[in-house]
Amino acid sequence: MDDQTVEKIVAEHQGSLGGMLSILSEVQEKYGYLPQDALRRVAVATGVSLADIYGVATFYRAYSLKPRGKHLVSACLGTACHVRGAPRIADELCRHLGIQPGETTADNEFTLETVNCLGGCALGPIVVVDGRCYSNVQKGKVAEILRRTRAGLGEPRAEHGFPLTIRCPHCRQSLMDPAHPIEGVPSIQLTVCWNGSRQTLHLSSLHGRQQVSGGPEIPAGSIVGLACPLCRRDLTDDAICPECGADLARVRVEEGATLTICTRRGCRGGRLDLDIPGVEAADRPSQE
Amino acid sequence: MITLTINGLDVTVEKGTTVLEAAKFLGFPIPTLCHMEGLTPYGACRLCVVEIGAGSAAKLVTSCTYPAEPGLKVRTASARVVRARKMILELLLASCPQSKTIQDLASKHEVTQQRFRQEHEDCILCGRCVHMCEEQMMAKAIGFRGRGQNRSIGTPFDVPSEVCRQCGGCMYVCPACSLRCTYTEPQKAICGGCANLSPPCLEKDPFNDMMCYMDPCVACEIKKP
Ligand code: SF4
Ligand code: SF4
Ligand code: SF4
Ligand code: FES
């Protein structure tokens, strides 16, 4: 480690508040883990004490002080994944890899870790391999996931969230448009009604992203109508956005959830609701 | 200047004064453990709890970190405070039963039972040593590591630190390791000998000479011909 990698990374983040986390993340990305030598150099370069840096590096699960394998397999054991059978998936991963969570296989191919929530509760159980997300993992799918990873194949890489598969709640047809990918995954196709005109709009299907493409120029803050492009039925019902009070459009998520989208342009008041058997989505009190 | 009320008495203090300091100024005793003059208040041990506010809005806060506010009503020894304090001591004692500092605090506050599993940790994570090293010794040789259950104090990578001055300041301020107490009946968990003035060391032959750190120890003084 005689190059200037660490020093370069530190220089890029100089002066930014909370730069330590980004520095450590980048160092880890470079070496696959946080080597002792690199941490000492971060300390020298930033002027922060090694004791503090070590404290940060050991506090977050995302950082590893031990070398990791070529592929990182994270099985989510958060509450939602847990009740959907995540422990069985984790056991299956252990059995296939012959290691316990936190360990690395002898051939240095896989590191297995368990995490407490990946934020995609509606899609659980979730397994993330090298940043590729596998949702609704069944026990039988584990071997296949590992085989594909070994062979260098994988699901489309979703850096920023979980891709959702959306259906119209009325006609039950898929609204996914593979011909129009946003951020590498098929987008959601919707009809937007504004100022008397109907146009098609594409919405990122990554949960948590609000990327939109196509559709008319709409000033932020205006309220639009949203409809299914296939059966042309209105997607809004009496639900109201908890953030801004506008109508919410409601679509089905194939994995067993409801996604609401605020009809006010620019409002981020939509959310993903898990299906709870016996409870109608509309009856559930809002979180606020 | 800020005027607040502590146990019904008005006191005027400078802005930035903590409730603990204001109470001390009036002479109300509040037990503390992680607090130490000259070190940044950290609020780790919770022992210095006091009750602020009134009625259903009353709540417990740590006085060592709570800044005095105009018109604040503080009670340092309400039933709720005393109950919380005892519980905190019982918990601290469960994690470090060999700490003489904690044993003494426990007997002083009449903690008479131990309902928790004794962990025999050697640290209560009060952070005194870390602050001592950083703020008084300017060394920053030790720090907190890990999180939750795995939190611990030590040097980075568990190797001797090159910036440590070997001053011993960290050990000097530690309530858990500076004074070890032998507390003679481990199954009872609470010794209280020092405070009861009839130390168990007195009755137990094996403890005849190796008695404790009380200087002068009541037991030994009584025993002297
Ligand atoms: S002995 Fe070392 S670790 Fe302890 S206070 Fe002194 S410099 Fe810090
Ligand atoms: S080692 Fe002692 S001073 Fe340091 S945190 Fe633990 S109990 Fe407190
Ligand atoms: S009498 Fe001895 S054993 Fe008991 S609390 Fe005092 S020092 Fe500890
Ligand atoms: S003395 Fe206030 S929390 Fe420890």
Side-chain angles (χ1 to χ4, degrees), chain A residues 40 49 54-55 58-59 61, chain B residues 140 144-147 156-157 162:
Chain A
R40 291 184 186 276
S49 74
Y54 189 77
T58 52
F59 186 87
R61 286 284 288 275
Chain B
K140 291 197 180 181
F144 287 100
R145 310 165 313 170
R147 174 173 55 164
F157 306 103
E162 53 267 43

Side-chain angles (χ1 to χ4, degrees), chain B residues 4-7 18-20 30 48-69 71-78 80-81:
Chain B
L4 66 162
T5 318
I6 303 182
N7 297 347
T18 61
V19 169
L20 178 67
I30 297 177
C48 64
V49 285
V50 294
E51 196 174 6
I52 58 165
S56 59
K59 57 177 181 177
L60 296 178
V61 298
T62 48
S63 60
C64 69
T65 52
Y66 204 91
E69 289 166 359
L72 193 69
K73 296 229 178 329
V74 183
R75 267 149 298 147
T76 68
S78 65
R80 192 174 169 201
V81 168

Side-chain angles (χ1 to χ4, degrees), chain A residues 6-219:
Chain A
V6 170
E7 284 72 13
K8 256 187 246 144
I9 293 174
V10 171
E12 273 167 39
H13 292 280
Q14 210 71 56
S16 70
L17 199 66
M20 187 53 69
L21 295 183
S22 332
I23 292 173
L24 293 183
S25 301
E26 276 182 43
V27 171
Q28 169 150 308
E29 208 159 290
K30 270 263 150 32
Y31 299 106
Y33 71 111
L34 294 174
Q36 187 175 141
D37 193 36
L39 286 189
R40 291 184 186 276
R41 291 169 71 151
V42 172
V44 172
T46 54
V48 177
S49 74
L50 185 61
D52 284 345
I53 295 175
Y54 189 77
V56 173
T58 52
F59 186 87
Y60 293 102
R61 286 284 288 275
Y63 299 127
S64 171
L65 295 171
K66 283 190 293 196
R68 291 210 247 203
K70 225 160 82 199
H71 306 290
L72 176 65
V73 182
S74 322
C76 181
L77 286 184
T79 316
C81 285
H82 194 104
V83 299
R84 289 173 171 223
R88 281 200 304 277
I89 307 298
D91 286 348
E92 191 71 0
L93 284 166
C94 290
R95 198 170 67 77
H96 275 279
L97 296 172
I99 50 173
Q100 290 302 307
E103 294 177 355
T104 301
T105 50
D107 60 1
N108 249 338
E109 281 289 311
F110 288 97
T111 295
L112 176 64
E113 62 170 23
T114 56
V115 293
N116 285 336
C117 186
L118 287 164
C121 304
L123 311 178
I126 288 180
V127 173
V128 173
V129 185
D130 296 341
R132 296 185 173 96
C133 169
Y134 297 85
S135 53
N136 264 318
V137 178
Q138 304 298 318
K139 222 171 140 183
K141 259 168 77 182
V142 166
E144 172 67 9
I145 292 174
L146 295 177
R147 193 190 61 76
R148 288 176 72 105
T149 311
R150 262 203 196 95
L153 308 163
E155 301 286 301
R157 196 181 166 108
E159 290 271 4
H160 306 294
F162 304 96
L164 306 172
T165 312
I166 303 293
R167 284 182 185 280
C168 168
H170 307 299
C171 64
R172 304 264 158 190
Q173 299 188 72
S174 170
L175 299 181
M176 304 311 292
D177 188 356
H180 201 114
I182 296 182
E183 293 187 84
V185 292
S187 60
I188 308 169
Q189 195 182 166
L190 292 172
T191 298
V192 46
C193 323
W194 191 68
N195 254 358
S197 76
R198 291 171 82 90
Q199 288 187 45
T200 306
L201 169 117
H202 289 91
L203 204 69
S204 169
S205 64
L206 292 178
H207 172 40
R209 304 290 276 180
Q210 301 253 319
Q211 225 89 316
V212 179
S213 93
E217 271 297 314
I218 305 169

Side-chain angles (χ1 to χ4, degrees), chain B residues 129 132-133 137 139 141-142 163-170:
Chain B
C129 53
M132 181 70 178
C133 185
M137 298 309 160
I142 48 175
V163 291
C164 171
R165 302 170 192 273
Q166 315 272 338
C167 64
C170 48

